Amino acid sequence: SYRIVKYIRRMDLVTQQDGMRIESFRTKILNADMEGSAFDESWSSLPVLLRAQLFIIIPVFVVYLFLFGTREMLARNIALDDLPSSEEILSEDENFEQLDSLIVDERDRKLIEHIVRLEDQQIKDFHQVGIVYGARHMRTTIAFLMQKLNYRVVQAEWVKVFDL
């Protein structure tokens, strides 16, 4: 669904990859996500019924998004605070826990492994590090940085995704 959004002209959106100016950092970029083979292995371990549901639901959602999707609809569904809302907690679904574990938790663990490795390498030197990950992943990342590595926020900058 992320890839198709850029083709919906009425939304006037771009993907992160197309919108970010990272050419000058190309040689310093570290892919901290799961390897494709590890994802495939975990995906294969999900229940067959869940995978079948996703193979049906996702194409239907993408067609719906292409035909009827609006910025307002996206904004309602991607808004996220630093702590889970009561609505998020109440809408948790046992059937999708394993999928959430794969897409969020396992990828968070991988990201944190990379952060720890980078922290160990850079012990006494000051370095700026940018973490470009989806908002849902930042809850765990920020908690780890602040609670385990004793980081603190000195400056923050909001990045506006789009206006409504």
Side-chain angles (χ1 to χ4, degrees), residues 37-52:
S37 57
F39 183 88
D40 291 344
E41 186 178 323
S42 293
W43 172 261
S44 298
S45 70
L46 293 176
V48 174
L49 184 58
L50 175 60
R51 287 184 283 150

Side-chain angles (χ1 to χ4, degrees), residues 74-97:
L74 287 177
R76 273 194 312 273
N77 292 306
I78 65 172
L80 192 71
D81 289 321
D82 58 341
L83 296 173
S85 67
S86 57
E87 184 178 322
E88 279 180 83
I89 293 167
L90 293 173
S91 67
E92 287 179 358
D93 185 344
E94 285 180 25
N95 297 323
F96 286 90
E97 279 183 23

Side-chain angles (χ1 to χ4, degrees), residues 14-153:
V14 297
T15 62
Q16 282 180 342
Q17 193 165 7
D18 293 338
M20 292 183 353
R21 308 283 185 247
I22 58 173
E23 291 79 23
S24 61
F25 300 107
R26 285 257 181 241
T27 60
K28 297 179 180 183
I29 293 175
L30 170 68
N31 182 354
D33 209 341
M34 292 177 71
E35 296 289 329
S37 57
F39 183 88
D40 291 344
E41 186 178 323
S42 293
W43 172 261
S44 298
S45 70
L46 293 176
V48 174
L49 184 58
L50 175 60
R51 287 184 283 150
Q53 286 175 320
L54 292 170
F55 279 120
I56 293 167
I57 292 169
I58 291 173
V60 170
F61 172 74
V62 169
V63 169
Y64 178 83
L65 185 65
F66 193 78
L67 295 174
F68 307 108
T70 64
R71 286 177 170 220
E72 290 80 7
M73 182 187 86
L74 287 177
R76 273 194 312 273
N77 292 306
I78 65 172
L80 192 71
D81 289 321
D82 58 341
L83 296 173
S85 67
S86 57
E87 184 178 322
E88 279 180 83
I89 293 167
L90 293 173
S91 67
E92 287 179 358
D93 185 344
E94 285 180 25
N95 297 323
F96 286 90
E97 279 183 23
Q98 287 178 294
L99 178 66
D100 192 53
S101 176
L102 168 60
I103 292 176
V104 179
D105 301 339
E106 287 187 40
R107 294 174 66 216
D108 287 352
R109 275 192 287 282
K110 195 70 170 168
L111 173 60
I112 287 172
E113 286 174 17
H114 283 281
I115 292 171
V116 168
R117 198 171 309 125
L118 185 64
E119 178 73 12
D120 290 343
Q121 292 170 359
Q122 313 288 335
I123 292 179
K124 297 199 179 191
D125 298 330
F126 170 80
H127 290 276
Q128 277 188 318
V129 175
I131 300 173
V132 181
Y133 241 61
R136 177 64 178 86
H137 299 282
M138 295 315 294
R139 285 179 175 163
T140 301
T141 305
I142 290 169
F144 176 78
L145 289 170
M146 294 180 84
Q147 295 167 9
K148 302 292 184 192
L149 298 181
N150 298 315
Y151 278 44
R152 61 187 175 89
V153 177

